[in-house]
Amino acid sequence: MSFLYLTADRIATETGGGIVTLNESEALESMGPCHIISRAEIGTEVYNRGVSISEPWGYDGIAESLVPVGVTLCHAYAGTFGKTIRRLKDMGAKVCYTIAAHDRVVSREEHERLGLLFPYPHLTDEALWRRYIEGYRLADVIVCPGTVPAATVRAYGPEFAAKRIKIIPHGCELPETVAPLPQTFVLGYCGAISADKGIVYLLQAWKKLAYKDAMLVIGGTGSMSPFMYQLVEHFGGGNIHLAGWQTDMSRFYNGLSCYVQPSATEGFGIEVLEAMAHGRIAFCSEGAGAADIVRPERRFVARDVDSLASLIDYVRREAKSDGYLAHEGAMDRIRASAFTWDKIRERYCELWRSMC
C-alpha cells in the first residue's frame, strides 16, 4: 500500500486547519509509506519553477505534477484539486476528501447584509463552482466534521446526495489540569473575523445584555483590524476587549468563563471543543458543525440575536451560584474527552482500512 496526503493548507498548529491537517497526515503516515503534498511542497515547487499561481486554481496544476506513481489511497483536505484527483482516480487510487463545508448562500447573505463585496467568483458562477467541487465529486468517500457541513455537501447536487459521507469530528488535546475560573464573568471568541462568523450577532447580543460586571473578549486573526473596530463601533456596546492574534490558546481559554461560537455558517469550529477540553462551558451556533459536540442546551439559533442573548444571560445568572461554572465546565470537559486526537486519528484509520 502507498498513501498520499494532499492539502492546500499548512500542516502546522497555528490554525484550526493546520491542526486538522497535522493530525490527518500523522494518522495516514501510521498506515504505511505516505507521500505529502501540502502548501509547503507546492510553494517550494512554485519557487523552483519561477512561476506564480492564483487561488483557488493554482495549487491544482502543481499538485498534479507532484503525484508519485503507485498511490493506492489519497486523503485530501481543502483546496481545489479536481485535476489532481482525476489523475489519482485514473491511476486506480481510492480517494477520501475532508470537507468542512460552509454554506455559500449564507456566506454571501452575510457579506451583503454588511454592505461588503462577495469577491469569490468560484462560489457565485455556476460553471466555476462545478469546477471548484470537481475533486469532491470524484472522491470515493467524503469526510465531514459534523452533520451541518454534511447537509451542506448533500445539497451540492444529486451525485452528492448519494455519496458516501462519513462524519468524523475534529479533535482536541486534553490539558492535564483545569485552570481556576476568572473572578468576573468573561465570555470569549477566537477565530477569523469575517462576515459569516456571526460576530455582528455576538456584538448585538452583548450590547443588549448591557452587563456592567462582565467582559467580552474577541481574539484571533483580524480581531484588531479596522474592520473589527468598525463592527464594534456600529454594533457593539458594554465591556469589550479586542485581544489580537493568540500565540497561546491555552492561556486564552484559561482566561474565560465561557466560550461562544456565533458563526452564521461554519464547517466545525475547533475552538468550541478546545474550550471544553479546558473545562469551560461552550456555546455553539446551530450553523456550525461543532453543534454536534455541545450539549443541546448549549446550542442557539444561528443569526438570532435574541436566542444567543438568552443563552448567555441564563448561564450568567446561574454563574452567580457557587460552583456552577466549575461543575458545568467539568461536564463539558468529560464530553470533550471522547474527542481527543488519538481517538479521532483511529477513526480515520478505521475508515481508510475499510477503503483498502
Side-chain angles (χ1 to χ4, degrees), residues 6-20:
L6 172 66
T7 181
D9 218 320
R10 292 184 177 88
I11 299 176
T13 57
E14 291 83 8
T15 65
I19 292 170
V20 174

Side-chain angles (χ1 to χ4, degrees), residues 110-320:
E110 290 303 297
H111 280 75
E112 292 175 348
R113 284 183 180 185
L114 292 173
L116 301 174
L117 294 175
F118 191 64
Y120 310 108
H122 60 285
L123 300 182
T124 55
D125 180 279
E126 284 305 308
L128 294 180
W129 170 247
R130 302 315 299 180
R131 179 184 173 188
Y132 181 72
I133 63 173
E134 178 67 1
Y136 305 163
R137 187 188 68 82
L138 293 170
D140 297 282
V141 180
I142 288 172
V143 172
C144 288
T147 57
V148 171
T152 299
V153 171
R154 292 283 188 209
Y156 286 171
E159 289 182 278
F160 289 92
K163 181 76 71 176
R164 180 185 176 190
I165 296 181
K166 179 73 172 179
I167 294 177
I168 302 178
H170 298 333
C172 65
E173 300 294 346
L174 204 68
E176 291 185 6
T177 59
V178 174
L181 289 158
Q183 292 295 314
T184 57
F185 185 80
V186 182
L187 179 67
Y189 165 81
C190 190
I193 305 299
S194 58
D196 57 9
K197 294 292 184 177
I199 303 300
V200 63
Y201 305 110
L202 174 58
L203 291 172
Q204 289 175 307
W206 193 252
K207 181 178 181 178
K208 178 180 180 179
L209 293 168
Y211 297 136
K212 302 297 184 184
D213 58 346
M215 176 74 70
L216 172 63
V217 178
I218 299 176
T221 305
S223 61
M224 297 181 71
S225 66
F227 175 61
M228 186 66 223
Y229 281 108
Q230 289 173 1
L231 290 180
V232 172
E233 181 179 353
H234 285 87
F235 300 103
N239 299 319
I240 301 173
H241 173 61
L242 302 181
W245 174 257
Q246 299 296 302
T247 57
D248 185 343
M249 287 304 297
S250 282
R251 184 171 180 270
F252 180 82
Y253 297 129
N254 289 340
L256 305 180
S257 306
C258 303
Y259 182 84
V260 61
Q261 189 73 31
S263 308
T265 177
E266 183 79 43
F268 188 72
I270 199 168
E271 295 82 6
V272 170
L273 190 53
E274 290 177 341
M276 292 168 63
H278 283 77
R280 268 47 183 175
I281 291 174
F283 312 135
C284 188
S285 153
E286 292 173 350
D292 292 346
I293 303 298
V294 303
R295 290 151 59 180
E297 61 267 29
R298 303 273 194 259
R299 303 168 193 166
F300 57 92
V301 179
R303 305 197 281 182
D304 188 313
V305 172
D306 292 339
S307 176
L308 175 53
S310 294
L311 182 55
I312 296 170
D313 195 49
Y314 173 79
V315 172
R316 174 69 185 94
R317 285 185 281 107
E318 292 296 317
K320 295 178 181 178

